[in-house]
Amino acid sequence: MFQPMQRPIPAIPRLSLPAALLICLGVVATVAWVHFWMGRAPICKCGYVKLWHGGRGDAGVSQHLTDWYTFSHILHGFIFYWLLSIVSRGHLSVAPRLLIATLIEGGWELFENPAFMIDRYRAHTISRDYAGDSIVNSVGDMLAMLAGFLLAARLPAWVTVLLLIAIEAALLWLIRDNLVLNIIMLIYPFDWIKQWQLAG
């Protein structure tokens, strides 16, 4: 009795980390283009770009390449690495998880910049003069997430946990804001938190 011939199933090529990084940079560029198409300002309305803006709650926040909130995007990378490791249960290597994380971060960068989100930031957080992210700042945020993800992939888990706690504590002390408070104030704002932040 003859066995039917089975066609060999073509193997899906494994995504390498360098290839994933190139694709991720393409995602960053695409998000920047969508921001431009949406009418976002390419750079700060002040007319120049700083590598670092150390202000807090002023009009320069989220307008330059990096600022205090860049550290929150590094933490996004830590968190995405851990969550995607859990969800994939070992079935995805670092490269595809990095790509998924970049797509999520890109989606968030687009979601947080329409008028209704900008108004919510102004109403419920210390960012009274927030005008949305400039394209340069959005690119910086996404690159910070990539850096955080790659750090989490290389460092022992306990080191990234300590870094997360240290960064959150430092931001709380230095600017009275951090990733946790930002999430709280966007989802369910507390007036006493806002007043405490404004008093600093």
Side-chain angles (χ1 to χ4, degrees), residues 12-23:
I12 299 172
R14 186 181 177 90
L15 182 64
S16 69
L17 190 55
L21 281 169
L22 281 175
I23 297 169

Side-chain angles (χ1 to χ4, degrees), residues 57-71:
D58 58 52
V61 173
S62 297
Q63 296 302 300
H64 299 279
L65 186 63
T66 61
D67 54 33
W68 290 112
Y69 294 97
T70 302
F71 294 102

Side-chain angles (χ1 to χ4, degrees), residues 74-92:
I74 292 172
L75 298 186
H76 287 183
F78 289 1
I79 293 165
F80 290 157
Y81 177 81
W82 295 331
L83 288 179
L84 290 170
S85 298
I86 293 167
V87 170
S88 68
R89 294 185 292 182
H91 295 296
L92 290 176

Side-chain angles (χ1 to χ4, degrees), residues 8-169:
I9 299 171
I12 299 172
R14 186 181 177 90
L15 182 64
S16 69
L17 190 55
L21 281 169
L22 281 175
I23 297 169
C24 289
L25 292 176
V27 172
V28 172
T30 301
V31 170
W33 179 84
V34 173
H35 273 309
F36 186 77
W37 178 77
M38 290 169 60
R40 302 299 317 150
I43 63 171
C44 175
K45 291 180 181 177
C46 61
Y48 55 87
V49 176
K50 295 192 290 187
L51 292 179
W52 166 259
H53 176 75
R56 172 184 173 272
D58 58 52
V61 173
S62 297
Q63 296 302 300
H64 299 279
L65 186 63
T66 61
D67 54 33
W68 290 112
Y69 294 97
T70 302
F71 294 102
S72 291
H73 290 273
I74 292 172
L75 298 186
H76 287 183
F78 289 1
I79 293 165
F80 290 157
Y81 177 81
W82 295 331
L83 288 179
L84 290 170
S85 298
I86 293 167
V87 170
S88 68
R89 294 185 292 182
H91 295 296
L92 290 176
S93 65
V94 170
R97 282 185 276 141
L98 178 64
L99 179 54
I100 293 168
T102 305
L103 290 169
I104 296 169
E105 184 77 358
W108 169 251
E109 286 296 318
L110 294 174
F111 177 74
E112 74 170 343
N113 281 290
F116 76 94
M117 283 296 287
I118 293 170
D119 291 341
R120 188 163 181 84
Y121 269 108
R122 285 176 174 169
H124 300 299
T125 72
I126 59 171
S127 301
R128 301 176 299 278
D129 298 321
Y130 181 66
D133 295 354
S134 71
I135 296 174
V136 164
N137 179 261
S138 185
V139 168
D141 289 346
M142 294 189 70
L143 294 177
M145 188 286 300
L146 283 168
F149 189 100
L150 293 172
L151 271 175
R154 295 297 300 267
L155 295 173
W158 67 270
V159 174
T160 51
V161 169
L162 285 180
L163 279 174
L164 186 148
I165 294 169
I167 290 170
E168 284 287 86

